Amino acid sequence: MQNKRPLSHGQEVEQMQRDYSDHNWSDPETQSATLLEAITTFEENNLPYALIGGIAGRGLGRPRVTHDIDLFIAPEDAKCALKALSERGFTTEERDPAWLFKAWKNNTLVDLIFKSSGDIYFDEEMQKHVQRVPFNDHFINLISPEDFVVIKAAVHQEHIPHHWHDALAVLTEGNLDWEYLVKRARFSPRRVLSLLVYAQSNDIAVPLEAIQTLYRKLFEMRSQVPKKVIYPYREIHESKESSRPKDSIIYIKARIMEALNTDERTADHDIKVVVTENSVDVRGEVFTKDQQKAVHEVVRGISPDKEFRNHVFVRTLPGPEESEVIQ
């Protein structure tokens, strides 16, 4: 197993060339066999996972060629998963300890992703909505279409526009749990709202209620009575505690993000968290001082010993004074 270390420019180029080559050497049959071997390894080790990325997109209604395998896992499972694949004969690498490990076998690249853009994690809520689907005489775990849409909206950038269109294709397929999609949109509400409005402008059947609900959550001030903070983070099985350090930066950040996104006082706000060895830095905006105070309480409840830097500010964003009218 290779650990993440600073790379020289030449090493970075060599690493990129290796990734590129692996992306182009994998044929569909080899890719399928490697995928099944990887998920068999996960299931034998009781490691929850969901297939995301291009292969998942094909299963959800977006035919697209892809040469790698993307598996979404929980942060506390990342090292266990990489070790299990290594023992199975995969070449492994801790590419970025903040969000990504990699594994190779049969010239096929497997990305182990444990944090997506928008600070989205493979949390308990997402795990409950994973779909069990047939694949080459086997059954595999596929991310729900609702979570797929949210992740794609969050990760979209100018240089990778296919993510936006992947999400649009899934919206076009329909059969979505809109209540759940709106709930999950709390991780990247502005991007998801933009996506839904754009989809509706292209005659994709997006319920107006979903758009209105997201808009209200984002732009209408709410005064909420503080409630007891509950952290429904998935408990770790005793047999795996030694390999999942609860004081690791990744684990602490995952717990903070889930707590912020499940507490009624702080959910539905675009709050970013950076955790270091000595501090927790929180940035974003809320609508009331009570919500600002709640951010402090939630973070302190998870990490009381680290220095806390609260850069969350209170901002009022009124909605439009009147409805838009097109003559």
Side-chain angles (χ1 to χ4, degrees), residues 250-268:
I250 295 174
Y251 185 86
I252 292 173
K253 180 173 180 178
R255 290 195 64 203
I256 290 174
M257 288 305 304
E258 183 165 11
L260 288 171
N261 286 316
T262 53
D263 188 284
E264 293 188 16
R265 301 169 299 170
T266 56
D268 306 319

Side-chain angles (χ1 to χ4, degrees), residues 170-181:
V170 173
L171 292 175
T172 302
E173 285 293 308
N175 298 320
L176 295 169
D177 181 342
W178 288 101
E179 182 178 354
Y180 177 61
L181 191 151

Side-chain angles (χ1 to χ4, degrees), residues 52-66:
I52 60 175
I55 299 178
R58 290 205 299 261
L60 294 171
R62 168 68 165 171
R64 180 165 65 82
V65 175
T66 183

Side-chain angles (χ1 to χ4, degrees), residues 12-52:
E12 288 181 348
V13 171
E14 181 180 346
Q15 193 174 67
M16 291 174 63
Q17 288 175 337
R18 185 179 71 169
D19 287 350
Y20 180 82
S21 297
D22 287 330
H23 274 65
N24 285 274
W25 288 345
S26 179
D27 61 87
E29 184 176 344
T30 301
Q31 184 187 72
S32 296
T34 306
L35 169 60
L36 290 175
E37 186 170 5
I39 64 174
T40 298
T41 302
F42 280 22
E43 291 174 354
E44 288 177 351
N45 287 273
N46 297 315
L47 296 170
Y49 73 92
L51 182 64
I52 60 175

Side-chain angles (χ1 to χ4, degrees), residues 21-211:
S21 297
D22 287 330
H23 274 65
N24 285 274
W25 288 345
S26 179
D27 61 87
E29 184 176 344
T30 301
Q31 184 187 72
S32 296
T34 306
L35 169 60
L36 290 175
E37 186 170 5
I39 64 174
T40 298
T41 302
F42 280 22
E43 291 174 354
E44 288 177 351
N45 287 273
N46 297 315
L47 296 170
Y49 73 92
L51 182 64
I52 60 175
I55 299 178
R58 290 205 299 261
L60 294 171
R62 168 68 165 171
R64 180 165 65 82
V65 175
T66 183
H67 294 286
D68 65 349
I69 298 166
D70 295 322
L71 297 176
F72 207 27
I73 59 178
E76 69 271 20
D77 288 332
K79 288 186 179 292
C80 294
L82 204 64
K83 180 181 178 182
L85 290 176
S86 178
E87 293 173 350
R88 193 92 176 197
F90 284 75
T91 300
T92 60
E93 176 186 338
E94 296 184 13
R95 174 61 62 87
D96 188 329
W99 72 283
L100 175 67
F101 291 165
K102 288 180 176 283
W104 291 265
K105 192 171 186 180
N106 304 321
N107 294 323
T108 302
L109 173 63
V110 180
D111 282 332
L112 305 181
I113 301 169
F114 43 94
K115 187 190 80 168
S116 184
S117 296
D119 288 329
I120 300 174
Y121 294 89
F122 190 48
D123 55 25
E124 185 174 355
E125 187 176 43
M126 186 184 294
Q127 291 177 34
K128 289 180 179 178
H129 286 80
V130 163
Q131 299 180 354
R132 192 75 171 164
V133 299
F135 181 84
N136 289 6
D137 299 325
H138 294 76
F139 282 87
I140 63 175
N141 294 342
L142 186 69
I143 190 172
S144 73
E146 298 81 15
D147 283 305
F148 183 88
V149 167
V150 172
I151 288 176
K152 289 294 184 177
V155 78
H156 169 71
Q157 298 290 341
E158 181 179 1
H159 64 287
I160 42 176
H162 69 268
H163 291 301
W164 183 266
H165 297 284
D166 288 347
L168 289 174
V170 173
L171 292 175
T172 302
E173 285 293 308
N175 298 320
L176 295 169
D177 181 342
W178 288 101
E179 182 178 354
Y180 177 61
L181 191 151
V182 170
K183 183 179 181 182
R184 294 298 289 182
R186 66 181 183 267
F187 293 104
S188 194
R190 289 170 175 80
R191 283 176 173 253
V192 175
L193 177 59
S194 299
L195 174 71
L196 297 185
V197 172
Y198 180 82
Q200 198 178 67
S201 75
N202 280 271
D203 297 326
I204 297 174
V206 175
L208 183 59
E209 182 181 358
I211 293 175

